[in-house]
Amino acid sequence: MIVTEDLALLDDLLRLCAAAGAEPEVHHTVPERRAGWAEAPLVLVGDDAAARCRGAARRPGVILVGHDQDDPEVWRRAVEIGAECVLRLPDAESWLVDRIADGVEGVGRQALTVGVIGGRGGAGASTLACALALAAARTGRRTLLVDGDPLGGGLDVLLGGERTEGRRWPDFAASQGRVAGGALEESLPSVRGLRVLSWDRGDSVLVPPEAMRSVLAAARRRGGVVVVDLPRRVDEAVTEALAQLDLGLLVVPGELRAVAAAHRVASLVGMVLRDLRVVVRGPYAAGLDERWVADALRLPLAGELPHDAALPAALDAGSPPGAEARGPLGRFCGEFWERALAAESAS
């Protein structure tokens, strides 16, 4: 809701609402239908209308907006109407667009965002990322799987959704600033109860860091669960992804060379991501077990991923990894989400 008679200010606020995807109600004073004042996600009160808004019911989300940078009385008027902050345009335009968009999207708790990284090539990170996303979707939570590895062959292929209509990473390569979370979700392919952002079959293999930042931020604002499959290298785009993770899972096979390679990956990832845990995958070389691997890497143990001899044949037959909740991979992922989501609820 916008409350102002200042035409210049109204033009600016309407422009900012359009940029945020909002269609505001416009009033010159507090509307006669007081429920409208109380129910609007956000109320923008112009300097000129502050006096006319005195006595309106106090509520969160009231912002006093104007152009005059040197008005000494602005804070007194803000207190009189219960405004939570005072903004001066054009300086605060970017912040206000984000706040309006938050109001439109009804932003609440952000998505629990988990990244999966291979300790060495062929460790099974993409397989685990897909299985985690499928397990999260089975809980009924909004789930988005993000393919952050342009050279991985495409997670949509692994899920059997390469022919499903929807946007892929090259469509978002020019994204900067804010991406609407709802529009992002609706534009992506829906595969087996979750949304997937993967790659097309073209030659483009570059995600600019600005695009990674904007797209992941939009995905997180929708809530639920976001799973990100990441490459072992740490470039600018991967750094942006790591900065938005709640936790990372480093997948390490139970062999000495894998532990040595994973140590280097962990050193790089740990420079950005504070909460990095190891998932150890069997079978094990002689003398090794999951605790030995975790201790060698000096990382918390997220769990042991049992060897599943039937997995290669299932993948060859077109069954996505973790599609069977009772299989070893499905059970591991289900137990992981039970712990992770319980910890999130308690926080």
Side-chain angles (χ1 to χ4, degrees), residues 44-347:
L44 307 178
V45 178
D47 270 352
D48 63 295
R52 298 191 295 277
C53 293
R54 291 174 189 161
R58 296 298 175 107
R59 51 148 295 165
V62 175
I63 299 177
L64 187 62
V65 189
H67 285 125
D68 190 348
Q69 304 284 342
D70 302 314
D71 184 355
E73 296 295 312
V74 64
W75 290 106
R76 176 183 59 79
R77 294 195 295 274
V79 170
E80 288 175 347
I81 65 171
E84 64 180 46
C85 64
V86 175
L87 299 182
R88 286 292 172 256
L89 303 182
D91 293 353
E93 285 191 355
S94 178
W95 186 91
L96 185 53
V97 168
D98 283 348
R99 184 62 188 276
I100 294 169
D102 284 345
V104 172
E105 293 187 36
V107 171
R109 181 189 286 268
Q110 290 200 334
L112 177 60
T113 307
V114 177
V116 186
I117 309 160
R120 67 153 167 79
S126 296
T127 297
L128 179 58
C130 287
L132 284 171
L134 288 170
R138 282 195 291 267
T139 70
R141 286 174 169 80
R142 174 184 283 116
T143 304
L144 173 61
L145 175 61
V146 179
D147 188 349
D149 185 357
L151 301 180
L155 294 186
D156 55 347
V157 177
L158 194 55
L159 287 170
E162 65 272 19
R163 297 182 184 276
T164 305
E165 293 294 327
R167 301 179 72 182
R168 265 69 175 180
W169 262 121
D171 298 314
F172 297 97
S175 297
Q176 295 183 10
R178 188 183 181 101
V179 174
L184 170 69
E185 182 179 21
E186 292 172 5
S187 72
L188 297 178
S190 177
V191 183
R192 296 179 179 267
L194 56 96
R195 297 285 180 167
V196 183
L197 175 53
S198 188
W199 295 86
D200 61 11
R201 312 283 82 85
D203 294 332
S204 176
V205 294
L206 177 65
V207 178
E210 297 82 3
M212 181 67 77
R213 182 191 314 125
S214 298
V215 169
L216 276 186
R220 297 186 70 210
R221 287 196 302 272
R222 294 292 288 170
V225 168
V226 175
V227 179
V228 188
D229 180 32
L230 293 169
R232 295 170 60 223
R233 70 179 186 280
V234 180
D235 56 19
E236 290 184 355
V238 173
T239 298
E240 291 289 350
L242 291 171
Q244 298 201 49
L245 299 182
D246 294 303
L247 65 94
L249 299 177
L250 182 66
V251 185
V252 184
E255 57 187 45
L256 286 174
R257 285 189 64 195
V259 174
H263 179 75
R264 294 184 177 182
V265 177
S267 296
L268 292 173
V269 171
M271 296 175 66
V272 183
L273 178 62
R274 292 185 178 180
D275 191 352
L276 179 64
R277 310 175 194 180
V278 62
V279 174
V280 185
R281 180 171 66 80
Y284 296 99
L288 272 63
D289 61 17
E290 70 275 14
R291 180 57 60 186
W292 189 95
V293 173
D295 290 345
L297 293 171
R298 298 179 182 177
L299 292 175
L301 179 63
E304 177 192 14
L305 192 57
H307 177 63
D308 185 357
L311 182 60
L315 294 177
D316 289 341
S319 179
E324 175 51 60
R326 296 182 180 180
L329 184 55
R331 287 199 306 272
F332 173 89
C333 294
E335 292 169 0
F336 170 82
W337 287 123
E338 284 183 11
R339 297 190 302 270
L341 294 171
E344 182 198 33
S345 298
S347 63

